Structure formats: structure tokens, C-alpha cells
Amino acid sequence: MSLIAEVIAGNIQPVLRDFGISESFVGVTLLALVPDIPEIVNGIQFALQNNIALSIEVGSSIAVQVCLLQIPVLVFVELIHPVGFVLVFNNISLWSVLLSTLLMNYTYMDGKSDYFQGTALCIVYMIAIAMFYFIPTAARRC
């Protein structure tokens, strides 16, 4: 799956130029979801079997894996072989991470989940997608 994401990332530049879509939007939607499709499918299957706790664990373990394993490895590889990997985040990215962390903490705090919490998390994700879609890009500024 990560190979597919790499192919998509390599071929996405013409689409970004032609349609004026921001890189942040594509990163939050397409590039974030493609490598994690197996985990998402497993989480949905566990939820359909009324195993909500395991479903939430599978869904949140993706973020933990990225934060604790993938990003430190990328930073270490950048030290050995510089390829231009830069960890500079804008305010929107930082606030969205903070909000996501608070919402997941709230979801885990009571130890149970229901349709209201799941719907609220989906709505917040849709708001984040809309927010990243309307980030000004170089093509939109001209």
C-alpha cells in the first residue's frame, strides 16, 4: 500500500497544478487514506461486529504508528541522506492536530462509544477536509 501511495505522490503534481488543489488537502485526504485502507477496513469490520473498542483502537493506532515510528525514521533518514524532508507546519495544521488529539481524548475518556460520538468525529473530519481544501495555494493567489 505504501508503494501505491508513493506512485500517487509522484504523479499528483500535474493534478495539483491543473485544478489548483492545495497539497495539504491531498495529503489529508488521498495520501493519508490510501496506505491505511487495510486498517480502515478492519476497523469497520470490528465496528459492524459490535466490537467498538477494538475498532477505535485500530483506527487510532494508525496515528500512533505515524507519530512514533514513521516520522522519526524519516527524520533520521534525512540526516543520513538529505532529500528535502522538512517538518514545518502552518497554523491550520497545528490547530487541527490539537483538536484531533482533544477529540480522541474525549472519545477514550468515558470508555465507551456510541453513534453520536462516531457521527461527531466524522463531521469534524469533514470540517477538517473542507478547511484544508480552502487553504490558499500558489495557483489560487495569482
Side-chain angles (χ1 to χ4, degrees), residues 28-41:
V28 169
T29 57
L30 186 65
L31 297 180
L33 294 179
V34 169
D36 299 325
I37 288 174
E39 288 89 358
I40 293 168
V41 170

Side-chain angles (χ1 to χ4, degrees), residues 23-94:
E23 291 178 355
S24 299
F25 175 73
V26 173
V28 169
T29 57
L30 186 65
L31 297 180
L33 294 179
V34 169
D36 299 325
I37 288 174
E39 288 89 358
I40 293 168
V41 170
N42 283 336
I44 291 170
Q45 287 176 346
F46 293 136
L48 290 174
Q49 296 170 358
N50 287 332
N51 197 347
I52 301 298
L54 185 57
S55 175
I56 292 174
E57 279 292 324
V58 168
S60 64
S61 67
I62 297 167
V64 172
Q65 174 188 357
V66 169
C67 291
L68 295 179
L69 180 68
Q70 292 178 358
I71 291 179
V73 167
L74 286 173
V75 169
F76 183 69
V77 168
E78 175 68 23
L79 289 173
I80 295 171
H81 179 67
V83 293
F85 181 70
V86 180
L87 278 176
V88 177
F89 301 105
N90 57 16
N91 288 337
I92 293 175
S93 298
L94 291 175

Side-chain angles (χ1 to χ4, degrees), residues 27 32 53 105:
N105 186 27

Side-chain angles (χ1 to χ4, degrees), residues 11-28:
N11 295 321
I12 202 78
Q13 291 301 327
V15 174
L16 294 176
R17 272 193 319 269
D18 294 343
F19 294 106
I21 299 172
S22 70
E23 291 178 355
S24 299
F25 175 73
V26 173
V28 169

